[in-house]
PDB file of all heavy atoms in Angstrom:
ATOM      1  N   VAL N 254       0.128  17.098   5.049  1.00 96.00           N
ATOM      2  CA  VAL N 254       0.165  15.752   5.613  1.00 96.00           C
ATOM      3  C   VAL N 254       0.516  15.887   7.094  1.00 96.00           C
ATOM      4  O   VAL N 254       1.510  16.525   7.459  1.00 96.00           O
ATOM      5  CB  VAL N 254       1.199  14.870   4.889  1.00 96.00           C
ATOM      6  CG1 VAL N 254       1.212  13.465   5.478  1.00 96.00           C
ATOM      7  CG2 VAL N 254       0.903  14.830   3.383  1.00 96.00           C
ATOM      8  N   ILE N 255      -0.334  15.295   7.927  1.00 94.00           N
ATOM      9  CA  ILE N 255      -0.199  15.405   9.377  1.00 94.00           C
ATOM     10  C   ILE N 255       0.075  14.026   9.970  1.00 94.00           C
ATOM     11  O   ILE N 255      -0.516  13.030   9.560  1.00 94.00           O
ATOM     12  CB  ILE N 255      -1.501  15.981  10.001  1.00 94.00           C
ATOM     13  CG1 ILE N 255      -1.913  17.297   9.326  1.00 94.00           C
ATOM     14  CG2 ILE N 255      -1.368  16.122  11.506  1.00 94.00           C
ATOM     15  CD1 ILE N 255      -1.006  18.468   9.557  1.00 94.00           C
ATOM     16  N   GLU N 256       0.976  13.990  10.964  1.00 93.00           N
ATOM     17  CA  GLU N 256       1.260  12.764  11.692  1.00 93.00           C
ATOM     18  C   GLU N 256       1.415  13.136  13.160  1.00 93.00           C
ATOM     19  O   GLU N 256       2.192  14.031  13.497  1.00 93.00           O
ATOM     20  CB  GLU N 256       2.541  12.123  11.163  1.00 93.00           C
ATOM     21  CG  GLU N 256       2.842  10.772  11.759  1.00 93.00           C
ATOM     22  CD  GLU N 256       4.031  10.121  11.073  1.00 93.00           C
ATOM     23  OE1 GLU N 256       5.099  10.765  10.972  1.00 93.00           O
ATOM     24  OE2 GLU N 256       3.877   8.974  10.635  1.00 93.00           O
ATOM     25  N   ASN N 257       0.671  12.471  14.015  1.00 90.00           N
ATOM     26  CA  ASN N 257       0.694  12.768  15.451  1.00 90.00           C
ATOM     27  C   ASN N 257       0.469  14.260  15.712  1.00 90.00           C
ATOM     28  O   ASN N 257       1.178  14.884  16.503  1.00 90.00           O
ATOM     29  CB  ASN N 257       2.008  12.314  16.085  1.00 90.00           C
ATOM     30  CG  ASN N 257       2.206  10.823  15.975  1.00 90.00           C
ATOM     31  OD1 ASN N 257       1.264  10.052  16.110  1.00 90.00           O
ATOM     32  ND2 ASN N 257       3.426  10.405  15.693  1.00 90.00           N
ATOM     33  N   LYS N 258      -0.505  14.820  15.016  1.00 85.00           N
ATOM     34  CA  LYS N 258      -0.907  16.222  15.158  1.00 85.00           C
ATOM     35  C   LYS N 258       0.176  17.217  14.758  1.00 85.00           C
ATOM     36  O   LYS N 258       0.121  18.378  15.121  1.00 85.00           O
ATOM     37  CB  LYS N 258      -1.392  16.517  16.579  1.00 85.00           C
ATOM     38  CG  LYS N 258      -2.600  15.701  16.971  1.00 85.00           C
ATOM     39  CD  LYS N 258      -3.085  16.074  18.336  1.00 85.00           C
ATOM     40  CE  LYS N 258      -4.292  15.226  18.705  1.00 85.00           C
ATOM     41  NZ  LYS N 258      -4.791  15.541  20.033  1.00 85.00           N
ATOM     42  N   ARG N 259       1.149  16.775  13.976  1.00 88.00           N
ATOM     43  CA  ARG N 259       2.229  17.639  13.519  1.00 88.00           C
ATOM     44  C   ARG N 259       2.321  17.601  11.998  1.00 88.00           C
ATOM     45  O   ARG N 259       2.145  16.551  11.379  1.00 88.00           O
ATOM     46  CB  ARG N 259       3.579  17.190  14.091  1.00 88.00           C
ATOM     47  CG  ARG N 259       3.685  17.311  15.574  1.00 88.00           C
ATOM     48  CD  ARG N 259       3.942  18.748  15.931  1.00 88.00           C
ATOM     49  NE  ARG N 259       4.076  18.897  17.364  1.00 88.00           N
ATOM     50  CZ  ARG N 259       3.568  19.912  18.035  1.00 88.00           C
ATOM     51  NH1 ARG N 259       2.907  20.852  17.414  1.00 88.00           N
ATOM     52  NH2 ARG N 259       3.726  20.000  19.325  1.00 88.00           N
ATOM     53  N   LEU N 260       2.643  18.746  11.414  1.00 92.00           N
ATOM     54  CA  LEU N 260       2.862  18.828   9.973  1.00 92.00           C
ATOM     55  C   LEU N 260       4.153  18.107   9.628  1.00 92.00           C
ATOM     56  O   LEU N 260       5.200  18.409  10.186  1.00 92.00           O
ATOM     57  CB  LEU N 260       2.961  20.302   9.560  1.00 92.00           C
ATOM     58  CG  LEU N 260       3.257  20.572   8.095  1.00 92.00           C
ATOM     59  CD1 LEU N 260       2.053  20.192   7.225  1.00 92.00           C
ATOM     60  CD2 LEU N 260       3.606  22.047   7.895  1.00 92.00           C
ATOM     61  N   VAL N 261       4.070  17.126   8.729  1.00 94.00           N
ATOM     62  CA  VAL N 261       5.265  16.388   8.323  1.00 94.00           C
ATOM     63  C   VAL N 261       5.566  16.526   6.837  1.00 94.00           C
ATOM     64  O   VAL N 261       6.641  16.142   6.387  1.00 94.00           O
ATOM     65  CB  VAL N 261       5.182  14.890   8.710  1.00 94.00           C
ATOM     66  CG1 VAL N 261       5.191  14.720  10.219  1.00 94.00           C
ATOM     67  CG2 VAL N 261       3.969  14.211   8.084  1.00 94.00           C
ATOM     68  N   GLY N 262       4.627  17.069   6.074  1.00 94.00           N
ATOM     69  CA  GLY N 262       4.862  17.221   4.640  1.00 94.00           C
ATOM     70  C   GLY N 262       3.680  17.821   3.929  1.00 94.00           C
ATOM     71  O   GLY N 262       2.658  18.143   4.539  1.00 94.00           O
ATOM     72  N   MET N 263       3.845  17.976   2.617  1.00 95.00           N
ATOM     73  CA  MET N 263       2.788  18.477   1.735  1.00 95.00           C
ATOM     74  C   MET N 263       2.762  17.588   0.502  1.00 95.00           C
ATOM     75  O   MET N 263       3.812  17.098   0.064  1.00 95.00           O
ATOM     76  CB  MET N 263       3.066  19.912   1.283  1.00 95.00           C
ATOM     77  CG  MET N 263       2.873  20.964   2.340  1.00 95.00           C
ATOM     78  SD  MET N 263       1.159  21.425   2.584  1.00 95.00           S
ATOM     79  CE  MET N 263       0.891  22.531   1.210  1.00 95.00           C
ATOM     80  N   ILE N 264       1.579  17.418  -0.031  1.00 95.00           N
ATOM     81  CA  ILE N 264       1.429  16.721  -1.302  1.00 95.00           C
ATOM     82  C   ILE N 264       0.958  17.753  -2.313  1.00 95.00           C
ATOM     83  O   ILE N 264      -0.038  18.442  -2.093  1.00 95.00           O
ATOM     84  CB  ILE N 264       0.426  15.553  -1.201  1.00 95.00           C
ATOM     85  CG1 ILE N 264       0.949  14.512  -0.214  1.00 95.00           C
ATOM     86  CG2 ILE N 264       0.192  14.936  -2.586  1.00 95.00           C
ATOM     87  CD1 ILE N 264      -0.027  13.384   0.075  1.00 95.00           C
TER      88      ILE N 264
END
Side-chain angles (χ1 to χ4, degrees):
V254 181
I255 307 292
E256 186 173 52
N257 298 321
K258 299 183 181 179
R259 295 282 181 220
L260 177 70
V261 294
M263 287 280 281
I264 297 174

